[in-house]
Amino acid sequence: MSRELPDCCYQNKPVLIPPSKPTPKHSLHLSNLDDQNFLRFSIKYLYVYKKSVSSDILKFSLSNVLVEYYPLAGRLRTSIEDDQKLEINCNGEGAIFAEAFMDITAEELLELSRKPNRSWRKFLCRVEAQSFLDFPPLVVQVTKLRCGGMMLCTAINHCLCDGIGTSQFLHAWAHLSTMPNQVLPIKPFHSRHVLRARNPPQVNFTHAHFTRNTPSDNDHIIQYLRSQPLVPVSLTFTTPDILHLKRQCVPSLKCTTFETLASHTWRSWVRTLDLGHCRNAKLLFSVNVRKKLVPEIPEGYYGNGFVLGCAESIVKDLVDSNLHETVKLVQRAKSCLTDEYVRSLVDLLEDKTVRTDLSMSLVISQWSKLGLEDLDFGEGKPLQMGPLTSDIYCLFLPVVGDFDAVRVLVSVPESLVERFEYYMKELLDQAPNGYHEEENRLD
């Protein structure tokens, strides 16, 4: 059983932090990549720090950074032109900022931070909201700890930005906390029109991870998982572990850390759930397309600049194949993501009946390699960072102090935890094929 955390003590009610200067008042168009039902939630990040930073400094720097990132101080609403689309009302209303105290030390929290548990929700203040639209795009809670450390928890609306945009914003906030009079190293690029759909839409590709059909209950793995008691499983793959996995794919295949680990996790997940040999299983994974488009998306773009790559296989073929073959499926899926493919996808999403097909899919989101673990507000880098809650999606998380290591976090049915862990560790105990160091790279 996960240990229950003490309650947070709030001396004051949460406050609104508006931009420190007047900001543009207008409606900001969301691209079709932003405005997907799949993204209508807030990403909740949790940081543990050994030393706390003054709340006044954090509020002051947040107010300053919101001058540049003013859409985060606005509110979502349905578009005036199309009630099926969302837009941002840039009204400068402000972000929610809460302060609290918890009777626990950073060291005790680190012991508990290997796996999320439900009581972690205490690290984010409850916001009274009637719907998703009423929830502010940015909510922050700073919780001081008994030892003098602090927890920083942020909830950032996924419709406004992806992991790269989030990292850009958080580092900008930290930059102004430590150097309040300095300009930001990267200016945010606000316009989403670089990803506007063509008129008329030109859907020239098959996009296998989107559907207009409603799958039956028997074919919807997400519904199955949500009906089970789920337990978060956290496994750290060190540099030697990752190199050992890569050795399964040489000498004939070069592969990145992500390709290798995503393929291994997908196969382990499918084998664990025993999905039925004749079914079609999919792996959906986020791919940054900022530099794949022509022209490239401008530097500083903090909207959603990713699409989902889609590898698929009949379950029997996936289970019976080796890691080498699965990696090739992932690489093939990545190679499809050209400029024309992305433009076709953006056009496809003009049809609001289209949605992401999660019926038989594992979804992997990569949080490693984004610099999220390096966030320093003036008292040092975090001891730990990760998600506030664990979901049915899989996260690849950074490991503080080891840039090349990856922590894999995914929730599985409680009865299948040992089985999943066995499959995830199985290849690490096997002797690899012939191996040449130069044929692999940790990127």
Side-chain angles (χ1 to χ4, degrees):
M1 277 295 283
S2 298
R3 174 181 160 187
E4 180 78 14
L5 293 172
D7 288 334
C8 280
C9 300
Y10 296 90
Q11 288 189 329
N12 301 300
K13 291 182 178 181
V15 297
L16 281 174
I17 305 293
S20 60
K21 298 177 183 177
T23 54
K25 302 292 191 291
H26 62 90
S27 296
L28 182 63
H29 164 83
L30 291 178
S31 79
N32 285 348
L33 295 187
D34 297 318
D35 186 23
Q36 300 181 66
N37 286 328
F38 178 63
L39 300 184
R40 293 189 179 187
F41 67 95
S42 291
I43 310 175
K44 300 177 178 67
Y45 298 88
L46 186 68
Y47 288 88
V48 184
Y49 288 92
K50 186 175 182 179
K51 293 183 179 181
S52 62
V53 178
S54 161
S55 293
D56 288 341
I57 290 176
L58 292 174
K59 287 189 282 190
F60 180 73
S61 56
L62 178 60
S63 181
N64 285 338
V65 79
L66 286 176
V67 173
E68 294 288 351
Y69 287 86
Y70 64 87
L72 287 170
R75 294 296 182 266
L76 282 171
R77 67 183 180 191
T78 55
S79 170
I80 297 172
E81 300 173 359
D82 182 352
D83 62 7
Q84 293 192 69
K85 280 190 65 67
L86 299 181
E87 63 184 19
I88 308 169
N89 178 21
C90 299
N91 57 10
E93 190 171 336
I96 289 182
F97 189 99
E99 298 176 69
F101 172 80
M102 182 175 281
D103 189 16
I104 196 171
T105 67
E107 288 72 20
E108 290 170 334
L109 271 172
L110 287 178
E111 286 299 313
L112 300 172
S113 65
R114 308 304 172 199
K115 300 177 184 178
N117 69 66
R118 290 185 179 278
S119 68
W120 284 21
R121 298 175 191 274
K122 297 175 181 180
F123 285 121
L124 194 65
C125 62
R126 185 180 296 275
V127 177
E128 297 299 329
Q130 297 296 317
S131 70
F132 168 77
L133 291 179
D134 297 324
F135 201 87
L138 175 61
V139 179
V140 175
Q141 178 168 321
V142 176
T143 304
K144 301 297 175 64
L145 308 175
R146 188 198 324 141
C147 61
M150 74 172 185
M151 296 285 299
L152 174 67
C153 186
T154 63
I156 301 177
N157 192 297
H158 207 332
C159 290
L160 270 70
C161 56
D162 57 13
I164 292 174
T166 294
S167 180
Q168 180 182 306
F169 163 71
L170 290 175
H171 278 282
W173 180 16
H175 179 85
L176 293 184
S177 293
T178 55
M179 294 175 282
N181 297 319
Q182 298 293 314
V183 297
L184 295 180
I186 300 177
K187 287 273 192 177
F189 183 83
H190 293 292
S191 176
R192 313 297 171 96
H193 289 77
V194 290
L195 284 170
R196 188 180 279 281
R198 293 170 291 195
N199 188 16
Q202 302 170 42
V203 182
N204 300 321
F205 291 82
T206 299
H207 300 279
H209 54 298
F210 285 92
T211 182
R212 293 182 179 85
N213 300 320
T214 302
S216 68
D217 290 348
N218 293 332
D219 291 332
H220 206 312
I221 193 65
I222 301 299
Q223 292 177 357
Y224 164 71
L225 290 175
R226 284 176 174 157
S227 70
Q228 307 289 308
L230 296 179
V231 173
V233 178
S234 176
L235 296 160
T236 297
F237 287 78
T238 63
T239 300
D241 292 335
I242 294 167
L243 288 174
H244 189 91
L245 288 176
K246 288 184 175 186
R247 291 185 186 114
Q248 313 294 325
C249 302
V250 295
S252 60
L253 184 65
K254 294 182 179 180
C255 44
T256 67
T257 292
F258 178 81
E259 291 163 358
T260 307
L261 203 49
S263 300
H264 177 53
T265 303
W266 184 32
R267 288 183 74 244
S268 300
W269 184 82
V270 169
R271 295 169 76 190
T272 298
L273 296 181
D274 195 17
L275 298 176
H277 279 189
C278 295
R279 293 185 175 185
N280 189 48
K282 295 177 183 177
L283 171 67
L284 307 182
F285 55 96
S286 54
V287 178
N288 175 25
V289 296
R290 285 166 170 78
K291 294 187 177 180
K292 293 180 180 290
L293 300 182
V294 182
E296 292 182 3
I297 293 179
E299 182 185 31
Y301 184 84
Y302 78 105
N304 285 282
F306 80 95
V307 300
L308 291 176
C310 177
E312 55 184 329
S313 171
I314 299 299
V315 169
K316 184 179 186 304
D317 294 342
L318 186 65
V319 170
D320 291 346
S321 67
N322 55 31
L323 183 62
H324 181 280
E325 294 300 319
T326 310
V327 168
K328 287 199 289 187
L329 292 177
V330 172
Q331 291 182 333
R332 205 171 297 136
K334 286 175 64 178
S335 68
C336 294
L337 304 180
T338 61
D339 171 79
E340 188 56 37
Y341 179 93
V342 175
R343 300 291 179 187
S344 173
L345 173 56
V346 170
D347 290 356
L348 173 71
L349 292 174
E350 281 290 283
D351 181 351
K352 293 306 174 184
T353 66
V354 169
R355 56 181 179 74
T356 308
D357 181 11
L358 303 176
S359 57
M360 288 288 290
S361 304
L362 173 67
V363 182
I364 296 179
S365 180
Q366 168 134 279
W367 289 20
S368 56
K369 306 295 188 290
L370 298 180
L372 288 166
E373 73 278 18
D374 295 330
L375 199 62
D376 185 350
F377 286 90
E379 292 293 349
K381 295 180 181 180
L383 302 172
Q384 182 70 285
M385 78 78 53
L388 178 66
T389 56
S390 176
D391 210 334
I392 52 180
Y393 309 128
C394 177
L395 296 176
F396 282 6
L397 301 170
V399 176
V400 173
D402 190 345
F403 179 77
D404 289 321
V406 179
R407 182 159 69 99
V408 178
L409 178 67
V410 61
S411 290
V412 299
E414 191 171 13
S415 61
L416 299 178
V417 169
E418 288 186 11
R419 185 173 174 176
F420 180 68
E421 290 180 337
Y422 170 79
Y423 286 134
M424 287 291 281
K425 296 173 183 176
E426 184 183 27
L427 285 182
L428 299 180
D429 299 326
Q430 294 181 5
N433 300 318
Y435 171 68
H436 302 285
E437 185 77 36
E438 68 274 8
E439 292 190 0
N440 287 274
R441 59 189 187 278
L442 280 174
D443 57 11

